[in-house]
PDB file of all heavy atoms in Angstrom:
ATOM      1  N   ALA A 131      -0.109  30.917 -19.291  1.00 95.00           N
ATOM      2  CA  ALA A 131       0.363  30.484 -18.033  1.00 95.00           C
ATOM      3  C   ALA A 131       1.917  30.533 -17.847  1.00 95.00           C
ATOM      4  O   ALA A 131       2.641  30.410 -18.864  1.00 95.00           O
ATOM      5  CB  ALA A 131      -0.162  29.000 -17.785  1.00 95.00           C
ATOM      6  N   SER A 132       2.392  30.689 -16.635  1.00 93.00           N
ATOM      7  CA  SER A 132       3.824  30.852 -16.393  1.00 93.00           C
ATOM      8  C   SER A 132       4.366  29.674 -15.717  1.00 93.00           C
ATOM      9  O   SER A 132       4.130  29.425 -14.486  1.00 93.00           O
ATOM     10  CB  SER A 132       4.090  32.045 -15.371  1.00 93.00           C
ATOM     11  OG  SER A 132       3.533  33.286 -16.133  1.00 93.00           O
ATOM     12  N   PRO A 133       5.191  28.937 -16.475  1.00 94.00           N
ATOM     13  CA  PRO A 133       5.764  27.633 -15.798  1.00 94.00           C
ATOM     14  C   PRO A 133       6.721  27.973 -14.669  1.00 94.00           C
ATOM     15  O   PRO A 133       7.353  29.086 -14.670  1.00 94.00           O
ATOM     16  CB  PRO A 133       6.669  27.145 -17.044  1.00 94.00           C
ATOM     17  CG  PRO A 133       5.942  27.651 -18.266  1.00 94.00           C
ATOM     18  CD  PRO A 133       5.418  28.957 -17.905  1.00 94.00           C
ATOM     19  N   ASP A 134       6.697  27.325 -13.683  1.00 87.00           N
ATOM     20  CA  ASP A 134       7.482  27.518 -12.441  1.00 87.00           C
ATOM     21  C   ASP A 134       7.122  28.666 -11.731  1.00 87.00           C
ATOM     22  O   ASP A 134       7.852  29.189 -10.817  1.00 87.00           O
ATOM     23  CB  ASP A 134       9.020  27.620 -12.949  1.00 87.00           C
ATOM     24  CG  ASP A 134       9.572  26.394 -13.558  1.00 87.00           C
ATOM     25  OD1 ASP A 134       9.227  25.351 -13.169  1.00 87.00           O
ATOM     26  OD2 ASP A 134      10.231  26.459 -14.544  1.00 87.00           O
ATOM     27  N   ASP A 135       5.848  29.274 -11.999  1.00 91.00           N
ATOM     28  CA  ASP A 135       5.351  30.357 -11.248  1.00 91.00           C
ATOM     29  C   ASP A 135       4.079  29.822 -10.571  1.00 91.00           C
ATOM     30  O   ASP A 135       3.145  29.571 -11.067  1.00 91.00           O
ATOM     31  CB  ASP A 135       4.908  31.478 -12.217  1.00 91.00           C
ATOM     32  CG  ASP A 135       4.406  32.711 -11.514  1.00 91.00           C
ATOM     33  OD1 ASP A 135       4.113  32.534 -10.349  1.00 91.00           O
ATOM     34  OD2 ASP A 135       4.235  33.723 -12.182  1.00 91.00           O
ATOM     35  N   ARG A 136       4.349  29.736  -9.190  1.00 91.00           N
ATOM     36  CA  ARG A 136       3.196  29.108  -8.327  1.00 91.00           C
ATOM     37  C   ARG A 136       1.979  30.028  -8.358  1.00 91.00           C
ATOM     38  O   ARG A 136       0.795  29.512  -8.214  1.00 91.00           O
ATOM     39  CB  ARG A 136       3.727  28.892  -6.939  1.00 91.00           C
ATOM     40  CG  ARG A 136       2.720  28.089  -6.031  1.00 91.00           C
ATOM     41  CD  ARG A 136       3.391  27.293  -4.986  1.00 91.00           C
ATOM     42  NE  ARG A 136       4.266  26.369  -5.520  1.00 91.00           N
ATOM     43  CZ  ARG A 136       4.014  25.172  -5.905  1.00 91.00           C
ATOM     44  NH1 ARG A 136       2.738  24.937  -6.005  1.00 91.00           N
ATOM     45  NH2 ARG A 136       4.873  24.304  -6.395  1.00 91.00           N
ATOM     46  N   ALA A 137       2.128  31.267  -8.555  1.00 93.00           N
ATOM     47  CA  ALA A 137       0.939  32.120  -8.501  1.00 93.00           C
ATOM     48  C   ALA A 137       0.202  32.092  -9.778  1.00 93.00           C
ATOM     49  O   ALA A 137      -1.058  32.347  -9.925  1.00 93.00           O
ATOM     50  CB  ALA A 137       1.472  33.536  -8.164  1.00 93.00           C
ATOM     51  N   HIS A 138       0.884  31.896 -10.949  1.00 95.00           N
ATOM     52  CA  HIS A 138       0.381  32.093 -12.328  1.00 95.00           C
ATOM     53  C   HIS A 138       0.495  30.867 -13.169  1.00 95.00           C
ATOM     54  O   HIS A 138       0.264  30.886 -14.444  1.00 95.00           O
ATOM     55  CB  HIS A 138       0.853  33.278 -12.991  1.00 95.00           C
ATOM     56  CG  HIS A 138       0.553  34.515 -12.250  1.00 95.00           C
ATOM     57  ND1 HIS A 138       1.607  35.241 -11.460  1.00 95.00           N
ATOM     58  CD2 HIS A 138      -0.552  35.430 -12.170  1.00 95.00           C
ATOM     59  CE1 HIS A 138       1.062  36.226 -10.990  1.00 95.00           C
ATOM     60  NE2 HIS A 138      -0.185  36.402 -11.262  1.00 95.00           N
ATOM     61  N   GLY A 139       0.896  29.749 -12.596  1.00 97.00           N
ATOM     62  CA  GLY A 139       1.094  28.503 -13.307  1.00 97.00           C
ATOM     63  C   GLY A 139      -0.288  27.714 -13.363  1.00 97.00           C
ATOM     64  O   GLY A 139      -1.284  28.086 -12.701  1.00 97.00           O
ATOM     65  N   ILE A 140      -0.272  26.664 -14.078  1.00 98.00           N
ATOM     66  CA  ILE A 140      -1.379  25.705 -14.145  1.00 98.00           C
ATOM     67  C   ILE A 140      -0.822  24.242 -13.527  1.00 98.00           C
ATOM     68  O   ILE A 140       0.306  23.860 -13.879  1.00 98.00           O
ATOM     69  CB  ILE A 140      -1.887  25.461 -15.561  1.00 98.00           C
ATOM     70  CG1 ILE A 140      -2.464  26.712 -16.086  1.00 98.00           C
ATOM     71  CG2 ILE A 140      -2.956  24.278 -15.634  1.00 98.00           C
ATOM     72  CD1 ILE A 140      -2.913  26.672 -17.518  1.00 98.00           C
ATOM     73  N   PHE A 141      -1.625  23.842 -12.666  1.00 98.00           N
ATOM     74  CA  PHE A 141      -1.169  22.660 -11.930  1.00 98.00           C
ATOM     75  C   PHE A 141      -2.369  21.474 -12.143  1.00 98.00           C
ATOM     76  O   PHE A 141      -3.454  21.904 -12.204  1.00 98.00           O
ATOM     77  CB  PHE A 141      -0.927  22.894 -10.516  1.00 98.00           C
ATOM     78  CG  PHE A 141       0.159  23.805 -10.278  1.00 98.00           C
ATOM     79  CD1 PHE A 141       0.016  25.194 -10.372  1.00 98.00           C
ATOM     80  CD2 PHE A 141       1.500  23.401  -9.990  1.00 98.00           C
ATOM     81  CE1 PHE A 141       1.105  26.074 -10.204  1.00 98.00           C
ATOM     82  CE2 PHE A 141       2.474  24.276  -9.818  1.00 98.00           C
ATOM     83  CZ  PHE A 141       2.203  25.712  -9.777  1.00 98.00           C
ATOM     84  N   ALA A 142      -1.891  20.303 -11.986  1.00 98.00           N
ATOM     85  CA  ALA A 142      -2.899  19.157 -12.058  1.00 98.00           C
ATOM     86  C   ALA A 142      -2.571  18.318 -10.747  1.00 98.00           C
ATOM     87  O   ALA A 142      -1.374  18.117 -10.378  1.00 98.00           O
ATOM     88  CB  ALA A 142      -2.694  18.241 -13.317  1.00 98.00           C
ATOM     89  N   VAL A 143      -3.651  17.771 -10.235  1.00 98.00           N
ATOM     90  CA  VAL A 143      -3.561  16.904  -9.068  1.00 98.00           C
ATOM     91  C   VAL A 143      -3.033  15.542  -9.332  1.00 98.00           C
ATOM     92  O   VAL A 143      -3.257  14.952 -10.301  1.00 98.00           O
ATOM     93  CB  VAL A 143      -4.817  16.919  -8.148  1.00 98.00           C
ATOM     94  CG1 VAL A 143      -4.862  15.800  -7.158  1.00 98.00           C
ATOM     95  CG2 VAL A 143      -5.256  18.220  -7.774  1.00 98.00           C
ATOM     96  N   SER A 144      -2.176  15.003  -8.332  1.00 98.00           N
ATOM     97  CA  SER A 144      -1.710  13.607  -8.429  1.00 98.00           C
ATOM     98  C   SER A 144      -1.962  13.027  -7.037  1.00 98.00           C
ATOM     99  O   SER A 144      -1.745  13.708  -5.942  1.00 98.00           O
ATOM    100  CB  SER A 144      -0.279  13.571  -8.738  1.00 98.00           C
ATOM    101  OG  SER A 144       0.296  12.223  -8.647  1.00 98.00           O
ATOM    102  N   PHE A 145      -2.495  11.756  -6.994  1.00 98.00           N
ATOM    103  CA  PHE A 145      -2.701  11.223  -5.620  1.00 98.00           C
ATOM    104  C   PHE A 145      -1.363  10.744  -5.153  1.00 98.00           C
ATOM    105  O   PHE A 145      -1.152  10.855  -3.854  1.00 98.00           O
ATOM    106  CB  PHE A 145      -3.683  10.078  -5.700  1.00 98.00           C
ATOM    107  CG  PHE A 145      -4.224   9.567  -4.484  1.00 98.00           C
ATOM    108  CD1 PHE A 145      -5.320  10.199  -3.846  1.00 98.00           C
ATOM    109  CD2 PHE A 145      -3.552   8.488  -3.763  1.00 98.00           C
ATOM    110  CE1 PHE A 145      -5.815   9.821  -2.606  1.00 98.00           C
ATOM    111  CE2 PHE A 145      -4.122   8.037  -2.500  1.00 98.00           C
ATOM    112  CZ  PHE A 145      -5.186   8.799  -2.017  1.00 98.00           C
ATOM    113  N   ARG A 146      -0.470  10.154  -5.974  1.00 98.00           N
ATOM    114  CA  ARG A 146       0.729   9.753  -5.501  1.00 98.00           C
ATOM    115  C   ARG A 146       1.771  11.010  -5.338  1.00 98.00           C
ATOM    116  O   ARG A 146       1.493  11.895  -6.226  1.00 98.00           O
ATOM    117  CB  ARG A 146       1.447   8.596  -6.322  1.00 98.00           C
ATOM    118  CG  ARG A 146       1.782   9.076  -7.690  1.00 98.00           C
ATOM    119  CD  ARG A 146       2.717   8.163  -8.429  1.00 98.00           C
ATOM    120  NE  ARG A 146       2.042   6.841  -8.737  1.00 98.00           N
ATOM    121  CZ  ARG A 146       1.284   6.534  -9.687  1.00 98.00           C
ATOM    122  NH1 ARG A 146       1.155   7.494 -10.705  1.00 98.00           N
ATOM    123  NH2 ARG A 146       0.799   5.337  -9.853  1.00 98.00           N
ATOM    124  N   PRO A 147       2.671  10.988  -4.567  1.00 97.00           N
ATOM    125  CA  PRO A 147       3.686  12.045  -4.469  1.00 97.00           C
ATOM    126  C   PRO A 147       4.243  12.343  -5.951  1.00 97.00           C
ATOM    127  O   PRO A 147       4.597  11.403  -6.669  1.00 97.00           O
ATOM    128  CB  PRO A 147       4.733  11.655  -3.529  1.00 97.00           C
ATOM    129  CG  PRO A 147       3.989  10.723  -2.681  1.00 97.00           C
ATOM    130  CD  PRO A 147       3.034   9.922  -3.600  1.00 97.00           C
ATOM    131  N   ALA A 148       4.342  13.675  -6.297  1.00 97.00           N
ATOM    132  CA  ALA A 148       4.804  13.935  -7.663  1.00 97.00           C
ATOM    133  C   ALA A 148       5.955  14.999  -7.585  1.00 97.00           C
ATOM    134  O   ALA A 148       6.357  15.557  -8.661  1.00 97.00           O
ATOM    135  CB  ALA A 148       3.673  14.477  -8.451  1.00 97.00           C
ATOM    136  N   GLY A 149       6.474  15.168  -6.383  1.00 94.00           N
ATOM    137  CA  GLY A 149       7.657  16.192  -6.273  1.00 94.00           C
ATOM    138  C   GLY A 149       7.152  17.645  -6.140  1.00 94.00           C
ATOM    139  O   GLY A 149       7.949  18.490  -6.132  1.00 94.00           O
ATOM    140  N   ASP A 150       5.889  17.871  -6.062  1.00 96.00           N
ATOM    141  CA  ASP A 150       5.380  19.170  -5.981  1.00 96.00           C
ATOM    142  C   ASP A 150       3.913  19.082  -5.332  1.00 96.00           C
ATOM    143  O   ASP A 150       3.473  18.049  -5.100  1.00 96.00           O
ATOM    144  CB  ASP A 150       5.173  19.797  -7.370  1.00 96.00           C
ATOM    145  CG  ASP A 150       5.198  21.387  -7.228  1.00 96.00           C
ATOM    146  OD1 ASP A 150       5.079  21.957  -6.207  1.00 96.00           O
ATOM    147  OD2 ASP A 150       5.386  22.049  -8.379  1.00 96.00           O
ATOM    148  N   TRP A 151       3.346  20.252  -5.112  1.00 96.00           N
ATOM    149  CA  TRP A 151       2.035  20.218  -4.380  1.00 96.00           C
ATOM    150  C   TRP A 151       1.127  21.102  -5.102  1.00 96.00           C
ATOM    151  O   TRP A 151       1.526  22.054  -6.005  1.00 96.00           O
ATOM    152  CB  TRP A 151       2.134  20.732  -2.981  1.00 96.00           C
ATOM    153  CG  TRP A 151       2.917  22.017  -2.680  1.00 96.00           C
ATOM    154  CD1 TRP A 151       4.329  22.093  -2.453  1.00 96.00           C
ATOM    155  CD2 TRP A 151       2.396  23.372  -2.718  1.00 96.00           C
ATOM    156  NE1 TRP A 151       4.694  23.372  -2.337  1.00 96.00           N
ATOM    157  CE2 TRP A 151       3.562  24.146  -2.428  1.00 96.00           C
ATOM    158  CE3 TRP A 151       1.199  23.950  -2.826  1.00 96.00           C
ATOM    159  CZ2 TRP A 151       3.477  25.508  -2.416  1.00 96.00           C
ATOM    160  CZ3 TRP A 151       1.095  25.284  -2.726  1.00 96.00           C
ATOM    161  CH2 TRP A 151       2.201  26.042  -2.608  1.00 96.00           C
ATOM    162  N   PHE A 152      -0.160  20.784  -5.066  1.00 97.00           N
ATOM    163  CA  PHE A 152      -1.188  21.509  -5.766  1.00 97.00           C
ATOM    164  C   PHE A 152      -1.598  22.805  -4.894  1.00 97.00           C
ATOM    165  O   PHE A 152      -2.253  22.676  -3.846  1.00 97.00           O
ATOM    166  CB  PHE A 152      -2.475  20.654  -6.122  1.00 97.00           C
ATOM    167  CG  PHE A 152      -3.473  21.360  -6.952  1.00 97.00           C
ATOM    168  CD1 PHE A 152      -3.386  21.191  -8.309  1.00 97.00           C
ATOM    169  CD2 PHE A 152      -4.418  21.998  -6.392  1.00 97.00           C
ATOM    170  CE1 PHE A 152      -4.382  21.751  -9.089  1.00 97.00           C
ATOM    171  CE2 PHE A 152      -5.402  22.657  -7.096  1.00 97.00           C
ATOM    172  CZ  PHE A 152      -5.457  22.520  -8.484  1.00 97.00           C
ATOM    173  N   PRO A 153      -1.462  24.047  -5.598  1.00 96.00           N
ATOM    174  CA  PRO A 153      -1.893  25.186  -4.750  1.00 96.00           C
ATOM    175  C   PRO A 153      -3.319  25.376  -4.810  1.00 96.00           C
ATOM    176  O   PRO A 153      -4.054  25.593  -5.802  1.00 96.00           O
ATOM    177  CB  PRO A 153      -1.231  26.343  -5.598  1.00 96.00           C
ATOM    178  CG  PRO A 153      -1.071  25.714  -7.014  1.00 96.00           C
ATOM    179  CD  PRO A 153      -0.962  24.359  -6.852  1.00 96.00           C
ATOM    180  N   MET A 154      -3.930  25.464  -3.626  1.00 96.00           N
ATOM    181  CA  MET A 154      -5.407  25.589  -3.479  1.00 96.00           C
ATOM    182  C   MET A 154      -5.718  26.927  -2.879  1.00 96.00           C
ATOM    183  O   MET A 154      -5.232  27.203  -1.677  1.00 96.00           O
ATOM    184  CB  MET A 154      -6.045  24.496  -2.448  1.00 96.00           C
ATOM    185  CG  MET A 154      -5.783  23.083  -3.083  1.00 96.00           C
ATOM    186  SD  MET A 154      -6.401  21.699  -1.966  1.00 96.00           S
ATOM    187  CE  MET A 154      -5.276  21.836  -0.643  1.00 96.00           C
ATOM    188  N   VAL A 155      -6.337  27.835  -3.628  1.00 94.00           N
ATOM    189  CA  VAL A 155      -6.613  29.050  -3.173  1.00 94.00           C
ATOM    190  C   VAL A 155      -7.439  29.181  -1.990  1.00 94.00           C
ATOM    191  O   VAL A 155      -7.513  30.192  -1.229  1.00 94.00           O
ATOM    192  CB  VAL A 155      -7.073  30.039  -4.284  1.00 94.00           C
ATOM    193  CG1 VAL A 155      -6.115  30.267  -5.470  1.00 94.00           C
ATOM    194  CG2 VAL A 155      -8.434  29.522  -4.807  1.00 94.00           C
ATOM    195  N   TRP A 156      -8.235  28.164  -1.724  1.00 95.00           N
ATOM    196  CA  TRP A 156      -9.169  28.162  -0.595  1.00 95.00           C
ATOM    197  C   TRP A 156      -8.479  27.597   0.652  1.00 95.00           C
ATOM    198  O   TRP A 156      -9.099  27.566   1.781  1.00 95.00           O
ATOM    199  CB  TRP A 156     -10.497  27.305  -0.954  1.00 95.00           C
ATOM    200  CG  TRP A 156     -10.093  25.835  -1.323  1.00 95.00           C
ATOM    201  CD1 TRP A 156      -9.985  24.716  -0.476  1.00 95.00           C
ATOM    202  CD2 TRP A 156      -9.826  25.420  -2.592  1.00 95.00           C
ATOM    203  NE1 TRP A 156      -9.631  23.604  -1.179  1.00 95.00           N
ATOM    204  CE2 TRP A 156      -9.556  24.014  -2.453  1.00 95.00           C
ATOM    205  CE3 TRP A 156      -9.816  25.989  -3.902  1.00 95.00           C
ATOM    206  CZ2 TRP A 156      -9.207  23.181  -3.597  1.00 95.00           C
ATOM    207  CZ3 TRP A 156      -9.408  25.091  -4.964  1.00 95.00           C
ATOM    208  CH2 TRP A 156      -9.124  23.849  -4.843  1.00 95.00           C
ATOM    209  N   SER A 157      -7.255  27.038   0.555  1.00 95.00           N
ATOM    210  CA  SER A 157      -6.589  26.539   1.592  1.00 95.00           C
ATOM    211  C   SER A 157      -5.021  26.768   1.351  1.00 95.00           C
ATOM    212  O   SER A 157      -4.303  25.807   1.088  1.00 95.00           O
ATOM    213  CB  SER A 157      -6.753  25.116   1.817  1.00 95.00           C
ATOM    214  OG  SER A 157      -6.141  24.546   3.027  1.00 95.00           O
ATOM    215  N   GLU A 158      -4.615  27.915   1.288  1.00 93.00           N
ATOM    216  CA  GLU A 158      -3.374  28.415   0.833  1.00 93.00           C
ATOM    217  C   GLU A 158      -2.118  27.764   1.602  1.00 93.00           C
ATOM    218  O   GLU A 158      -0.993  27.596   0.993  1.00 93.00           O
ATOM    219  CB  GLU A 158      -3.236  29.956   0.823  1.00 93.00           C
ATOM    220  CG  GLU A 158      -4.199  30.621  -0.138  1.00 93.00           C
ATOM    221  CD  GLU A 158      -4.059  32.124  -0.153  1.00 93.00           C
ATOM    222  OE1 GLU A 158      -3.340  32.643   0.779  1.00 93.00           O
ATOM    223  OE2 GLU A 158      -4.569  32.853  -1.015  1.00 93.00           O
ATOM    224  N   ASP A 159      -2.341  27.529   2.763  1.00 93.00           N
ATOM    225  CA  ASP A 159      -1.185  26.855   3.547  1.00 93.00           C
ATOM    226  C   ASP A 159      -0.982  25.327   3.499  1.00 93.00           C
ATOM    227  O   ASP A 159      -0.018  24.760   3.874  1.00 93.00           O
ATOM    228  CB  ASP A 159      -1.259  27.187   5.059  1.00 93.00           C
ATOM    229  CG  ASP A 159      -1.154  28.703   5.352  1.00 93.00           C
ATOM    230  OD1 ASP A 159      -0.481  29.403   4.523  1.00 93.00           O
ATOM    231  OD2 ASP A 159      -1.780  29.228   6.281  1.00 93.00           O
ATOM    232  N   SER A 160      -2.038  24.772   2.852  1.00 94.00           N
ATOM    233  CA  SER A 160      -2.021  23.304   2.776  1.00 94.00           C
ATOM    234  C   SER A 160      -0.964  22.751   1.766  1.00 94.00           C
ATOM    235  O   SER A 160      -0.855  23.340   0.674  1.00 94.00           O
ATOM    236  CB  SER A 160      -3.365  22.694   2.409  1.00 94.00           C
ATOM    237  OG  SER A 160      -3.304  21.310   2.183  1.00 94.00           O
ATOM    238  N   ARG A 161      -0.255  21.724   2.160  1.00 95.00           N
ATOM    239  CA  ARG A 161       0.593  21.067   1.196  1.00 95.00           C
ATOM    240  C   ARG A 161       0.333  19.578   0.979  1.00 95.00           C
ATOM    241  O   ARG A 161       1.160  18.809   0.497  1.00 95.00           O
ATOM    242  CB  ARG A 161       2.139  21.244   1.694  1.00 95.00           C
ATOM    243  CG  ARG A 161       2.587  22.590   1.907  1.00 95.00           C
ATOM    244  CD  ARG A 161       2.645  23.499   0.577  1.00 95.00           C
ATOM    245  NE  ARG A 161       3.166  24.715   0.790  1.00 95.00           N
ATOM    246  CZ  ARG A 161       2.497  25.815   0.921  1.00 95.00           C
ATOM    247  NH1 ARG A 161       1.182  25.715   1.045  1.00 95.00           N
ATOM    248  NH2 ARG A 161       3.040  26.924   1.105  1.00 95.00           N
ATOM    249  N   GLU A 162      -0.892  19.181   1.412  1.00 94.00           N
ATOM    250  CA  GLU A 162      -1.194  17.698   1.427  1.00 94.00           C
ATOM    251  C   GLU A 162      -1.682  17.224   0.069  1.00 94.00           C
ATOM    252  O   GLU A 162      -1.685  15.968  -0.044  1.00 94.00           O
ATOM    253  CB  GLU A 162      -2.348  17.462   2.544  1.00 94.00           C
ATOM    254  CG  GLU A 162      -1.791  17.597   3.953  1.00 94.00           C
ATOM    255  CD  GLU A 162      -2.491  16.654   4.881  1.00 94.00           C
ATOM    256  OE1 GLU A 162      -3.760  16.473   4.598  1.00 94.00           O
ATOM    257  OE2 GLU A 162      -1.886  16.133   5.774  1.00 94.00           O
ATOM    258  N   VAL A 163      -2.058  17.974  -0.802  1.00 97.00           N
ATOM    259  CA  VAL A 163      -2.518  17.402  -2.150  1.00 97.00           C
ATOM    260  C   VAL A 163      -1.289  17.634  -3.119  1.00 97.00           C
ATOM    261  O   VAL A 163      -0.790  18.765  -3.400  1.00 97.00           O
ATOM    262  CB  VAL A 163      -3.764  18.291  -2.647  1.00 97.00           C
ATOM    263  CG1 VAL A 163      -4.141  17.897  -4.109  1.00 97.00           C
ATOM    264  CG2 VAL A 163      -4.904  18.234  -1.630  1.00 97.00           C
ATOM    265  N   HIS A 164      -0.970  16.529  -3.717  1.00 98.00           N
ATOM    266  CA  HIS A 164       0.161  16.522  -4.500  1.00 98.00           C
ATOM    267  C   HIS A 164      -0.108  17.107  -5.917  1.00 98.00           C
ATOM    268  O   HIS A 164      -1.299  17.016  -6.329  1.00 98.00           O
ATOM    269  CB  HIS A 164       0.684  15.080  -4.773  1.00 98.00           C
ATOM    270  CG  HIS A 164       1.133  14.509  -3.406  1.00 98.00           C
ATOM    271  ND1 HIS A 164       2.194  14.849  -2.685  1.00 98.00           N
ATOM    272  CD2 HIS A 164       0.619  13.382  -2.883  1.00 98.00           C
ATOM    273  CE1 HIS A 164       2.216  14.086  -1.619  1.00 98.00           C
ATOM    274  NE2 HIS A 164       1.304  13.200  -1.665  1.00 98.00           N
ATOM    275  N   GLY A 165       0.767  17.684  -6.578  1.00 97.00           N
ATOM    276  CA  GLY A 165       0.485  18.212  -8.003  1.00 97.00           C
ATOM    277  C   GLY A 165       1.620  18.168  -8.888  1.00 97.00           C
ATOM    278  O   GLY A 165       2.747  17.991  -8.456  1.00 97.00           O
ATOM    279  N   VAL A 166       1.467  18.500 -10.108  1.00 98.00           N
ATOM    280  CA  VAL A 166       2.436  18.598 -11.197  1.00 98.00           C
ATOM    281  C   VAL A 166       2.146  19.962 -11.878  1.00 98.00           C
ATOM    282  O   VAL A 166       0.987  20.272 -12.111  1.00 98.00           O
ATOM    283  CB  VAL A 166       2.399  17.512 -12.121  1.00 98.00           C
ATOM    284  CG1 VAL A 166       3.004  16.122 -11.445  1.00 98.00           C
ATOM    285  CG2 VAL A 166       1.052  17.175 -12.734  1.00 98.00           C
ATOM    286  N   ASP A 167       3.220  20.646 -12.276  1.00 97.00           N
ATOM    287  CA  ASP A 167       3.062  21.797 -13.056  1.00 97.00           C
ATOM    288  C   ASP A 167       2.895  21.559 -14.446  1.00 97.00           C
ATOM    289  O   ASP A 167       3.877  20.905 -15.142  1.00 97.00           O
ATOM    290  CB  ASP A 167       4.386  22.689 -12.820  1.00 97.00           C
ATOM    291  CG  ASP A 167       4.360  24.100 -13.438  1.00 97.00           C
ATOM    292  OD1 ASP A 167       3.629  24.254 -14.411  1.00 97.00           O
ATOM    293  OD2 ASP A 167       5.136  24.986 -12.959  1.00 97.00           O
ATOM    294  N   VAL A 168       1.877  21.722 -15.105  1.00 98.00           N
ATOM    295  CA  VAL A 168       1.587  21.459 -16.460  1.00 98.00           C
ATOM    296  C   VAL A 168       1.483  22.741 -17.406  1.00 98.00           C
ATOM    297  O   VAL A 168       0.892  22.601 -18.472  1.00 98.00           O
ATOM    298  CB  VAL A 168       0.170  20.598 -16.659  1.00 98.00           C
ATOM    299  CG1 VAL A 168       0.442  19.295 -15.936  1.00 98.00           C
ATOM    300  CG2 VAL A 168      -0.977  21.349 -16.000  1.00 98.00           C
TER     301      VAL A 168
END
């Protein structure tokens, strides 16, 4: 996986704001689900 690469990174969901968002391929424009780059 590529850190800091939104297309090829691995992300985990956080309910509280985490400074980033979780990329959902089924809803690419959404920014409502918080995430962390792991």
Side-chain angles (χ1 to χ4, degrees):
S132 302
D134 303 317
D135 180 349
R136 188 153 296 281
H138 302 97
I140 294 175
F141 297 83
V143 169
S144 173
F145 194 83
R146 69 164 64 89
D150 203 348
W151 47 273
F152 185 87
M154 299 180 290
V155 296
W156 59 90
S157 184
E158 293 182 350
D159 295 330
S160 175
R161 302 292 183 269
E162 286 210 326
V163 177
H164 304 298
V166 290
D167 187 336
V168 293

